[in-house]
């Protein structure tokens, strides 16, 4: 039986889905740790890492078996194979960077959904189908309905076109990319700047008006609570590198003080 996508079910029900990112350590045990911790999904980063497709495929398969929904942030959205190869490897969704127009996301949906929603290259026996033997139409219907498409809005153009983007069939959720958005707005890295805050407000309001799930990364429980209060249901938490760094920088000064070296 082909695995379902519980994250997509949570978003459809208007309930928060919490996950995290693998950006640093592609070791299989990291996936097992995140699964044991109870996250709903894991995002495997390809845009800002040196992970190759073989590494991503291994992490995706392990995540599926561990009960985590594997999402891949693609290195781009121009080449169809950058989109379909992670899906054929078993990814249950894609996080799509820098979406600016409805035409752009419509082309992506066409490339990543099977007929009648699109023209994704046919391959119905692989990790993405859990090697299930079933009628082609049943497999196609399952994959079309269970594959998650999350749009990243990272520019003023994307914000201006967001209402039309939300109306494209196949868009499941919208995520704010605050870093690139701040740069596009002329205040790079100033994530609390009024321009960024106003842009985020507009993105959330547009998604809410269209009934599309939305959210952004949270870095602590307090931030997650505030975002949920604002209606966010797509909530990646931190990442593997940040968790290691924060734990180390939190304890080392205390150890140095204990050792008389502060």
């Amino acid at each position: 039986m082909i695995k379902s996508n519980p994250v997509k079910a949570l978003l459809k029900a208007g309930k928060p889905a919490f996950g995290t990112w693998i950006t640093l350590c592609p070791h299989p045990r990291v996936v097992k740790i995140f699964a044991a911790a109870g996250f709903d999904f894991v995002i495997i980063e390809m845009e800002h890492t040196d992970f190759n497709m073989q590494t991503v495929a291994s992490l995706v398969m392990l995540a599926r078996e561990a009960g985590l929904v594997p999402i891949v942030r693609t290195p781009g959205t121009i080449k169809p194979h950058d989109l379909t190869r992670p899906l054929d490897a078993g990814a249950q969704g894609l996080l799509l960077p820098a979406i600016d127009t409805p035409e752009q996301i419509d082309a992506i949906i066409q490339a990543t959904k099977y007929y009648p929603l699109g023209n994704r290259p046919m391959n119905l026996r692989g990790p993405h189908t859990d090697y299930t033997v079933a009628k082609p139409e049943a497999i196609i219907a399952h994959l079309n309905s269970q594959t998650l498409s999350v749009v990243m809005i990272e520019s003023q153009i994307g914000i201006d076109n967001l209402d039309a983007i939300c109306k494209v069939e196949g868009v499941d959720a919208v995520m704010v990319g605050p870093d690139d958005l701040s740069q596009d707005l002329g205040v790079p890295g100033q994530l609390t700047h009024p321009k960024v805050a106003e842009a985020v407000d507009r993105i959330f309001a547009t998604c809410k008006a269209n009934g599309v799930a939305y959210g952004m990364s949270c870095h602590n429980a307090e931030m997650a609570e505030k975002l949920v209060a604002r209606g966010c249901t797509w909530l990646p938490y931190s990442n593997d590198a940040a968790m290691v760094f924060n734990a180390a920088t939190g304890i080392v000064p205390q150890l140095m003080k204990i050792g008389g070296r502060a």
Side-chain angles (χ1 to χ4, degrees):
M1 180 179 295
I2 308 175
K3 287 181 172 58
S4 61
N5 189 333
V7 168
K8 191 160 185 176
L10 284 169
L11 297 180
K12 282 186 175 181
K15 297 179 180 179
F18 296 98
T20 191
W21 306 66
I22 294 179
T23 66
L24 171 70
C25 183
H27 198 285
R29 291 177 185 171
V30 173
V31 176
K32 293 287 286 185
I33 288 170
F34 287 155
F39 282 114
D40 297 309
F41 63 89
V42 63
I43 301 170
I44 300 163
E45 174 68 88
M46 290 192 77
E47 186 181 31
H48 296 297
T49 69
D50 57 359
F51 296 167
N52 60 30
M53 193 59 236
Q54 185 174 0
T55 297
V56 170
S58 295
L59 293 173
V60 162
M61 282 193 69
L62 181 58
R64 286 178 75 101
E65 296 307 313
L68 279 170
V69 173
I71 310 293
V72 173
R73 174 151 75 168
T74 60
T77 57
I78 297 174
K79 297 178 181 178
H81 271 119
D82 287 340
L83 306 169
T84 58
R85 290 184 74 199
L87 293 177
D88 281 354
Q92 290 179 281
L94 299 177
L95 180 58
L96 302 159
I99 300 300
D100 289 330
T101 68
E103 292 80 12
Q104 184 184 7
I105 187 59
D106 184 63
I108 290 169
I109 297 299
Q110 289 288 317
T112 57
K113 299 286 189 181
Y114 295 111
Y115 180 89
L117 302 179
N119 52 20
R120 174 179 167 182
M122 291 285 287
N123 171 24
L124 302 184
R125 186 66 60 84
H128 61 311
T129 67
D130 296 298
Y131 298 97
T132 298
V133 177
K135 292 183 178 179
E137 56 268 30
I139 295 175
I140 287 170
H142 182 90
L143 293 175
N144 276 351
S145 68
Q146 295 297 304
T147 301
L148 188 69
S149 299
V150 182
V151 166
M152 292 196 74
I153 299 298
E154 305 182 270
S155 70
Q156 184 63 55
I157 295 174
I159 295 172
D160 292 341
N161 288 321
L162 184 54
D163 185 67
I165 289 170
C166 286
K167 289 179 169 59
V168 174
E169 184 179 3
V171 171
D172 296 300
V174 170
M175 179 177 177
V176 179
D179 295 294
D180 284 340
L181 180 58
S182 71
Q183 179 169 250
D184 190 74
L185 295 174
V187 289
Q190 300 178 52
L191 303 187
T192 59
H193 193 282
K195 284 186 177 180
V196 178
E198 291 170 9
V200 171
D201 288 345
R202 184 177 169 191
I203 292 169
F204 286 2
T206 302
C207 292
K208 189 172 184 178
N210 281 279
V212 173
Y214 58 91
M216 60 191 297
S217 287
C218 54
H219 306 295
N220 51 58
E222 292 75 21
M223 185 176 181
E225 188 172 20
K226 290 178 181 178
L227 289 171
V228 169
R230 297 181 67 184
C232 293
T233 54
W234 170 259
L235 294 156
Y237 167 77
S238 193
N239 60 59
D240 54 353
M243 290 184 208
V244 172
F245 182 79
N246 292 341
T249 55
I251 192 61
V252 169
Q254 299 178 50
L255 296 175
M256 293 300 168
K257 184 176 181 180
I258 290 169
R261 295 171 55 192

